[in-house]
Amino acid sequence: MTDQQEFPEDTSEYAETDNVEHHPTGKGLALPGQNLPDKVYIIPIHNRPFFPAQVLPVIVNEEPWAETLELVSQSDHHSLALFFMDTPQEDPRHFDTKALPEYGTLVKVHHASRENGKLQFVAQGLTRVRIKAWLKHHRPPYLVEVEYPHQPTEPTDEVKAYGMALINAIKELLPLNPLYSEELKNYLNRFSPNDPSPLTDFAAALTSATGSELQEVLDCVPMLKRMEKVLPMLRKEVEVARLQKEISAEVNRKIGEHQREFFLKEQLKVIQQELGLTKDDRSADIEQFEQRLTGKVLPPQAQKRIEEEMNKLSILETGSPEYAVTRNYLDWATSVPWGVYGEDKLDLKHARKVLDKHHAGLDDIKDRILEFLAVGAYKGEISGSIVLLVGPPGVGKTSVGKSIAETLGRPFYRFSVGGMRDEAEIKGHRRTYIGAQPGKLVHALKDVEVMNPVIMLDEIDKMGQSYQGDPASALLETLDPEQNVEFLDHYLDLRLDLSKVLFVCTANTLDSIPGPLLDRMEVIRLSGYITEEKVAIAKRHLWPKQLEKAGVSKGSLSISDNALKALIDGYAREAGVRQLEKNLGKLVRKAVMKLIDEPKAVIKLGPKDLEASLGRPVFRNEQVLSGIGVITGLAWTSMGGATLPIEATRIHTLNRGFKLTGQLGEVMKESAEIAYSYVSSNLKQFGGDPTFFDEAFVHLHVPEGATPKDGPSAGVTMASALLSLARNQPPKKGVAMTGELTLTGHVLPIGGVREKVIAARRQKIFELILPEANRGSFEELPDYLKEGITVHFAKRFADVAKVLF
């Protein structure tokens, strides 16, 4: 059943009520089959069909149906026919007679009334009706000649059985849907299985089926067929009602549980407060913050500010946004370990053990760290210092930082500043912003719970800049020992003393670090490892780590020293050990595949087993190029040191010219121009034909054109290649060199001596030419690197020429 509803213009509608009884024998009402008129007026309805078993109010628009109802009221029988139309006509004055269904319902009209442009009357359904002929169809009122379907009076047993099934289904529906009230139950009791037609129609009207489905029931005159249609519709309605009842019961149960829980919690709170067992949320928060501050030594400014915020918190409503902001601020301000310092372990022997345990090689780095600790031990405390570890990837910069923290017994906190573009990450957001937070340094102090941790800033050379500020400049105040005594975080707006923090920064190159920031740091270079060091690292650290990761015992799988050397030379020549670690992992995984098939096998890997697991070697022993105009230079990149051959040749003698190739940067192009000018102007002095370059078109090439090359250390090498070409004499074999040249022939110092010496050793070159100014850098190298190497130090280019020719 549906409640009375309003419909748009040009529609008519009826609503069903819950408390209307059907009185087939009421006074003055026509009985079905008796006194039924032959000619009746019709009104279309659009919500759903009207059934003979129904007594309901119907609402129609005054225009155009007022005249129709007027004529019905003047008739003797007071009846009209209601026909269902699925889609309302745009204009009821122009009526499409074909749009009407076969059957409608003859209804008796009672209590017609008029209000707000609408006509309302109670319609009592009498019987099915079919249009025989249209007497008036041009405009309302529509008059038709009708006939009534004949129905058998005696129901069969089958029809009775269906009638009982319908009554049972309706009785099932009543308790499930509270809309069907007590009156309906009485109404139902008057129906009889012996009078099946109104029962079937009433059952159909109860369902929420579509208008077209209900019209099919109305069109179905044969009793049994009609019952067969209606029973499934009614059963479906019962199922839907049952499901709805279950869902609403479940929802009510859940809501009830939550409400009960809520009331009990509120009661518990009130009881506990009355008994003095607990405090409300505000008091609990304030007590928690006060508890956090016990044992901490706050600067007067911080003490005053925190007390002000506590007072503010105590008068704010707990539900207000300002309360949440203040509470959040106090949460951070009281989490800072004000005046709490950890004790340093200043035992140098212990420190040496820790460093040796974690790192093979790196002796100069270890000595530098021990010196730093020794000063702290002598003074009795290690005040903040900024160490910058520079070196190629995979040489262990991050792990050196961890080792420093372990040797001192201080907590370690690491965060990467690579790609950071917002200075608020360092110094915090202002409190006015939604979701504001302190900077990373306050996060670090909260996590480590002391004011003197070791904080590592990783990838400091890869910081970005954006419209949100320049984080590198924000680090200046953080890292400057003169300023960081009073470091100001924007969120807390309180001065923090970072002077006792030991900052360790890491970078691959120094080029992209701003000068003022670099000036505040103490630079320690980690150059690449030579083969011997890599073998030691692989045996002591990397191989055991990979075995443990795969859960393989040392007895089942082992690798020989020769295999490690072959692996390093053929597959992992980079400066660090990351590639080496990846390849060892690959070997272990391949071995595990075999161990799954033969669990008791013992696998020993030798040099010959590498190709089967890792494929052909990536690196082969490079042929050191030699001949006229070919010189081996030494280069230094962010990935470590490398040899760099340079070739010069004369193309023709038709005109003077100079051509450069090999993807060179601006600095190297300038070095080449200087070398060309210097050698051209001083050729006679070095025993060449002074006119050689006047008519020669010379081409200078640096091989590996796909790799960009730049840097101020190739001038001497380029000049040597041009001189060899001009003298038509090959240089001395097995010599490599580095150095920058001026127009007057002076040899200038260069960087990366250690990396370049390692690169020469890797290529088995044992005679080097270095600038005189780099003599100190070479002599500081460890003995195992200098062993067996002959070095010539050159002040001017003439010293280079003497060695080569």
Side-chain angles (χ1 to χ4, degrees), residues 171-395:
K171 283 182 174 172
E172 268 184 67
L173 191 59
L174 291 183
L176 293 174
N177 194 331
L179 284 173
Y180 308 125
S181 58
E182 206 59 42
E183 287 89 338
L184 265 177
K185 290 183 189 174
N186 300 333
Y187 187 22
L188 190 61
N189 288 336
R190 302 187 182 203
F191 276 120
S192 157
N194 300 325
D195 187 11
S197 186
L199 170 65
T200 311
D201 291 342
F202 173 71
L206 279 183
T207 67
S208 56
T210 61
S212 52
E213 286 176 325
L214 291 173
Q215 182 62 45
E216 280 180 29
V217 174
L218 194 62
D219 287 344
C220 188
V221 176
M223 199 66 252
L224 193 59
K225 262 192 182 177
R226 201 188 325 161
M227 287 178 143
E228 283 171 0
K229 271 186 195 295
V230 173
L231 189 58
M233 288 162 72
L234 198 57
R235 293 300 328 167
K236 183 180 170 189
E237 203 66 28
V238 170
E239 289 308 313
V240 170
R242 184 173 287 130
L243 192 60
Q244 279 178 332
K245 190 170 184 184
E246 282 173 17
I247 290 168
S248 61
E250 181 64 19
V251 170
N252 290 339
R253 186 183 64 76
K254 283 185 178 170
I255 290 171
E257 274 177 19
H258 284 301
Q259 282 179 329
R260 183 169 175 274
E261 211 171 282
F262 174 75
F263 286 129
L264 287 173
K265 277 182 180 170
E266 290 302 308
Q267 283 175 334
L268 183 65
K269 269 188 197 172
V270 173
I271 292 164
Q272 286 177 332
Q273 281 172 24
E274 289 295 321
L275 294 173
L277 296 175
T278 62
K279 299 170 177 57
D280 62 359
D281 290 348
R282 192 191 294 116
S283 313
D285 282 342
I286 291 171
E287 193 173 291
Q288 183 192 3
F289 296 143
E290 282 171 349
Q291 211 170 347
R292 275 191 201 167
L293 293 175
T294 51
K296 293 180 181 176
V297 183
L298 276 78
Q301 179 212 8
Q303 182 80 45
K304 183 183 171 198
R305 181 67 181 277
I306 287 172
E307 279 172 8
E308 283 171 4
E309 294 289 333
M310 293 262 209
N311 291 337
K312 188 167 121 189
L313 193 75
S314 64
I315 56 170
L316 285 169
E317 273 304 315
T318 50
S320 73
E322 184 64 18
Y323 181 87
V325 171
T326 308
R327 191 196 174 288
N328 203 29
Y329 175 82
L330 283 169
D331 189 27
W332 278 105
T334 55
S335 296
V336 174
W338 302 100
V340 179
Y341 294 94
E343 267 191 55
D344 288 333
K345 288 184 198 161
L346 298 171
D347 179 353
L348 295 185
K349 283 180 185 168
H350 166 73
R352 167 63 82 179
K353 270 185 197 166
V354 170
L355 290 170
D356 283 342
K357 177 181 153 195
H358 287 222
H359 303 278
L362 302 181
D363 291 331
D364 46 347
I365 309 297
K366 290 176 189 171
D367 291 343
R368 177 69 198 78
I369 292 167
L370 290 167
E371 287 163 18
F372 169 72
L373 297 178
V375 171
Y378 188 76
K379 187 182 168 191
E381 67 159 357
I382 290 182
S383 54
S385 173
I386 303 114
V387 176
L388 173 62
L389 304 169
V390 185
V395 292

Side-chain angles (χ1 to χ4, degrees), residues 38 100 109 131 176 205 223 288 349 365 446 478 480 483 531 571 652 666 724 733 796:
D38 299 330
L100 289 187
V109 176
I131 297 172
L176 293 174
M223 199 66 252
Q288 183 192 3
K349 283 180 185 168
I365 309 297
K446 179 187 175 182
T478 314
D480 189 342
Q483 296 179 51
T531 306
Y571 301 89
H652 56 71
E666 291 299 320
S724 167
K733 276 191 176 180
R796 298 182 62 83

Side-chain angles (χ1 to χ4, degrees), residues 424-442:
E425 298 238 9
I426 306 288
K427 298 184 105 179
H429 304 86
R430 305 224 174 266
R431 248 173 93 187
T432 47
Y433 298 119
I434 290 173
Q437 277 204 325
K440 273 278 188 275
L441 292 153
V442 175

Side-chain angles (χ1 to χ4, degrees), residues 503-751:
F503 288 102
V504 181
C505 308
T506 72
N508 294 136
T509 72
L510 299 177
D511 308 345
S512 53
I513 301 176
L517 185 58
L518 193 58
D519 185 47
R520 287 164 166 79
M521 304 194 227
E522 213 166 318
V523 178
I524 298 179
R525 288 191 182 279
L526 284 83
S527 41
Y529 300 107
I530 58 172
T531 306
E532 290 77 8
E533 289 175 327
K534 280 190 177 180
V535 170
I537 291 167
K539 279 168 73 175
R540 280 169 47 183
H541 301 291
L542 306 180
W543 184 249
K545 183 177 164 187
Q546 290 299 332
L547 289 179
E548 189 185 339
K549 203 170 168 185
V552 179
S553 67
K554 288 180 185 176
S556 306
L557 179 60
S558 60
I559 187 167
S560 69
D561 288 6
N562 287 339
L564 284 174
K565 277 183 188 165
L567 175 63
I568 290 158
D569 282 342
Y571 301 89
R573 275 194 201 171
E574 88 285 10
V577 290
R578 207 165 273 143
Q579 203 60 40
L580 174 59
E581 186 174 7
K582 284 180 190 170
N583 282 313
L584 289 172
K586 204 170 182 183
L587 288 174
V588 171
R589 289 197 299 275
K590 298 276 184 191
V592 168
M593 294 284 285
K594 292 177 190 170
L595 289 172
I596 283 176
D597 295 334
E598 304 169 43
K600 292 184 179 175
V602 175
I603 300 173
K604 292 182 179 177
L605 296 173
K608 290 176 185 174
D609 303 320
L610 297 181
E611 265 191 46
S613 297
L614 303 176
R616 302 280 296 161
V618 182
F619 303 98
R620 291 179 183 77
N621 286 334
E622 289 175 30
Q623 289 295 313
V624 176
L625 302 175
S626 61
I628 295 168
V630 180
I631 300 284
T632 303
L634 293 171
W636 176 45
T637 68
S638 65
M639 300 295 284
T643 53
L644 191 73
I646 290 178
E647 306 169 328
T649 185
R650 180 172 66 175
I651 300 174
H652 56 71
T653 56
L654 299 174
N655 61 331
R656 179 188 178 95
F658 183 53
K659 183 179 181 181
L660 275 173
T661 54
Q663 207 174 337
L664 308 177
E666 291 299 320
V667 179
M668 274 186 91
K669 283 178 184 169
E670 286 181 7
S671 296
E673 298 285 350
I674 292 165
Y676 180 68
S677 301
Y678 176 74
V679 174
S680 302
S681 58
N682 294 285
L683 204 44
K684 189 175 179 184
Q685 180 192 335
F686 295 119
D689 174 7
T691 61
F692 178 83
F693 287 107
D694 296 346
E695 52 197 25
F697 191 93
V698 176
H699 184 167
L700 187 78
H701 175 62
V702 185
E704 287 192 59
T707 313
K709 294 170 273 292
D710 202 8
S713 64
V716 168
T717 320
M718 289 172 163
S720 302
L722 292 169
L723 180 57
S724 167
L725 179 67
R727 286 179 60 143
N728 199 26
Q729 179 187 352
K732 184 178 179 183
K733 276 191 176 180
V735 178
M737 66 184 71
T738 181
E740 193 47 272
L741 185 66
T742 68
L743 268 178
T744 53
H746 286 89
V747 178
L748 300 181
I750 45 81

Side-chain angles (χ1 to χ4, degrees), residues 8 14 26 66 84 152 166 168 175 259 285 397 399 402 412 469 497 553 566 597 631 653 685 707 715 774 785 799:
Y14 66 88
F84 170 68
L166 286 173
N168 288 337
Q259 282 179 329
D285 282 342
K397 300 182 292 296
S399 55
K402 282 184 188 163
F412 177 74
D497 180 4
S553 67
D597 295 334
I631 300 284
T653 56
Q685 180 192 335
T707 313
N774 285 107
L785 280 182
D799 304 335

Side-chain angles (χ1 to χ4, degrees), residues 746-792:
H746 286 89
V747 178
L748 300 181
I750 45 81
V753 172
R754 179 183 174 125
E755 286 84 352
K756 289 175 178 178
V757 170
I758 289 173
R761 283 192 84 96
R762 204 182 286 132
Q763 290 300 336
K764 304 202 167 31
I765 297 173
F766 294 103
E767 193 168 348
L768 306 179
I769 300 172
L770 300 177
E772 175 66 43
N774 285 107
R775 187 187 285 271
S777 308
F778 179 77
E779 284 171 358
E780 283 174 8
L781 294 181
D783 293 338
Y784 63 83
L785 280 182
K786 294 187 287 188
E787 191 185 332
I789 287 186
T790 309
V791 179
H792 306 278

